[in-house]
Amino acid sequence: MRLLILGGTSEASALAKCLAARPDLAPILSLAGRTSAPVAPPIPFRIGGFGGVAGLSAYIEQEGIDLLVDATHPFAAQMSAHASAAAAACAIPLIVLTRAPWREEPNDRWIRVPDMQAAAKALGETPRRVFLTIGRLQVEAFTTAPQHFYLIRTIEPPGALALPDHRLLYDRGPYDAAREKALLQEERIDCLVTKNSGGAATYGKIAAARALGLPVVMVERPSSGTETAITVHAPQDVLACIDAHREKIAVHHQADLTERGV
Ligand SMILES: NC(=O)c1ccc[n+]([C@@H]2O[C@H](COP(=O)([O-])OP(=O)(O)OC[C@H]3O[C@@H](n4cnc5c(N)ncnc54)[C@H](OP(=O)(O)O)[C@@H]3O)[C@@H](O)[C@H]2O)c1
């Protein structure tokens, strides 16, 4: 069975590890190519966009893909929408592997916003010291609120920024809550901005903000059109879905043979 896994997340890497131990499946992992030096996966892989829904559908047909797994980041909404459309066009099943979103807990002070523009607005007029942990691609949105100081943490440089008062911090998770709390205190941060990515690796900042009583501007997940697909949160559950799907095909095949008297 040929599987195409849309990756770029730790969940996709974990799934690739599980699939490397399954010689009965023939997976290929797809990466967008955003990271300059990605760690080589333990299964065959390809890098780069497909060229929209048409390109992805053509790839699925050419490669004889039987099943698509969308293991992209919850904020990679365009790729997920393309995955949903291409799976429907090619009539193959789609399984979504995604982290469960973080949930607000007692003593959290979340301000929920739909996008980055709304997040910048939610910071208000009074100058604040803001910790921005939203990745590098949407920092531009905060140029509409130049009165604040921004501590911006990214893995790779975000490029030229028109923010008069900011400091860049390059780092890669996982981050524990104690270290995050110390950083917030050292930098005298009074507000955190984050996407609701979910997962344990970057949850430390949420726990630290709670412990310090700081507000968190929480950018909610975009809708990606995959809401009706089979959705699981663990790599092992993807394998269970694949095995169930194969069993269903085998039963249908047997019923077909019986009906035709073969
Ligand atoms: N957005 C985030 O916050 C975030 C965080 C961590 C990791 N990532 C990972 O970084 C990658 C890009 O994210 P994004 O938010 O820029 O995506 P996006 O906006 O949803 O997708 C933009 C385009 O990038 C290409 N693309 C995205 N993921 C791909 C994949 N796995 N394989 C091949 N092409 C892919 C597709 O190009 P074509 O239309 O040409 O096919 C897609 O239309 C994804 O793999 C995602 O899992 C994203």
Side-chain angles (χ1 to χ4, degrees), residues 140-206:
E140 275 292 312
F142 292 85
T143 53
T144 58
Q147 69 275 29
H148 308 296
F149 161 81
Y150 295 97
L151 175 67
I152 305 168
R153 184 167 68 192
T154 56
I155 296 174
E156 296 190 9
L161 288 179
L163 287 172
D165 193 9
H166 74 271
R167 188 165 89 74
L168 295 172
L169 182 62
Y170 302 127
D171 205 352
R172 187 187 283 271
Y175 306 101
D176 69 62
R179 200 177 126 202
E180 295 288 66
K181 189 175 167 194
L183 178 68
L184 293 173
Q185 287 176 310
E186 276 158 29
E187 297 284 341
R188 295 176 290 111
I189 296 297
D190 48 37
C191 186
L192 169 72
V193 181
T194 181
K195 301 193 272 198
N196 193 340
S197 299
T202 58
Y203 188 72
K205 62 191 172 192
I206 307 294

Side-chain angles (χ1 to χ4, degrees), residues 109-167:
R109 293 175 57 201
W110 287 11
I111 302 157
R112 295 163 190 269
V113 293
D115 54 37
M116 249 5 119
Q117 286 67 29
K121 220 169 169 189
L123 294 174
E125 291 303 319
T126 310
R128 304 175 98 165
R129 292 184 65 83
V130 180
F131 185 26
L132 220 52
T133 61
I134 56 164
R136 70 191 160 95
L137 297 178
Q138 289 176 288
V139 176
E140 275 292 312
F142 292 85
T143 53
T144 58
Q147 69 275 29
H148 308 296
F149 161 81
Y150 295 97
L151 175 67
I152 305 168
R153 184 167 68 192
T154 56
I155 296 174
E156 296 190 9
L161 288 179
L163 287 172
D165 193 9
H166 74 271
R167 188 165 89 74

Side-chain angles (χ1 to χ4, degrees), residues 10 28 223 247:
S10 52
I28 177 154
S223 152
E247 212 164 289

Side-chain angles (χ1 to χ4, degrees), residues 4-250:
L4 175 61
I5 298 129
L6 305 171
T9 56
S10 52
E11 287 74 16
S13 304
L15 176 61
K17 243 187 212 168
C18 294
L19 287 167
R22 285 286 301 262
D24 56 321
L25 299 171
I28 177 154
L29 176 66
S30 176
L31 302 171
R34 301 281 192 276
T35 313
S36 41
V39 179
I43 58 172
F45 66 101
R46 63 170 296 287
I47 296 182
F50 296 93
V53 177
L56 177 57
S57 303
Y59 182 90
I60 289 171
E61 298 291 353
Q62 276 156 24
E63 295 294 320
I65 301 296
D66 301 299
L67 192 145
L68 185 58
V69 181
D70 175 10
T72 57
H73 191 271
F75 280 79
Q78 184 168 308
M79 189 68 251
S80 292
H82 292 181
S84 178
C90 299
I92 61 168
L94 169 68
I95 299 172
V96 178
L97 170 61
T98 187
R99 306 165 199 172
W102 295 319
R103 304 265 174 229
E104 195 167 2
E105 293 198 4
N107 299 327
D108 276 337
R109 293 175 57 201
W110 287 11
I111 302 157
R112 295 163 190 269
V113 293
D115 54 37
M116 249 5 119
Q117 286 67 29
K121 220 169 169 189
L123 294 174
E125 291 303 319
T126 310
R128 304 175 98 165
R129 292 184 65 83
V130 180
F131 185 26
L132 220 52
T133 61
I134 56 164
R136 70 191 160 95
L137 297 178
Q138 289 176 288
V139 176
E140 275 292 312
F142 292 85
T143 53
T144 58
Q147 69 275 29
H148 308 296
F149 161 81
Y150 295 97
L151 175 67
I152 305 168
R153 184 167 68 192
T154 56
I155 296 174
E156 296 190 9
L161 288 179
L163 287 172
D165 193 9
H166 74 271
R167 188 165 89 74
L168 295 172
L169 182 62
Y170 302 127
D171 205 352
R172 187 187 283 271
Y175 306 101
D176 69 62
R179 200 177 126 202
E180 295 288 66
K181 189 175 167 194
L183 178 68
L184 293 173
Q185 287 176 310
E186 276 158 29
E187 297 284 341
R188 295 176 290 111
I189 296 297
D190 48 37
C191 186
L192 169 72
V193 181
T194 181
K195 301 193 272 198
N196 193 340
S197 299
T202 58
Y203 188 72
K205 62 191 172 192
I206 307 294
R210 182 186 308 132
L212 295 171
L214 297 182
V216 175
V217 177
M218 183 64 73
V219 182
E220 296 293 0
R221 294 180 173 197
S223 152
S224 59
T226 55
E227 288 76 10
T228 54
I230 301 165
T231 300
V232 297
H233 299 306
Q236 293 77 6
D237 295 338
V238 174
L239 295 179
C241 286
I242 292 170
D243 289 336
H245 175 68
R246 289 172 100 190
E247 212 164 289
K248 210 165 98 188
I249 290 175

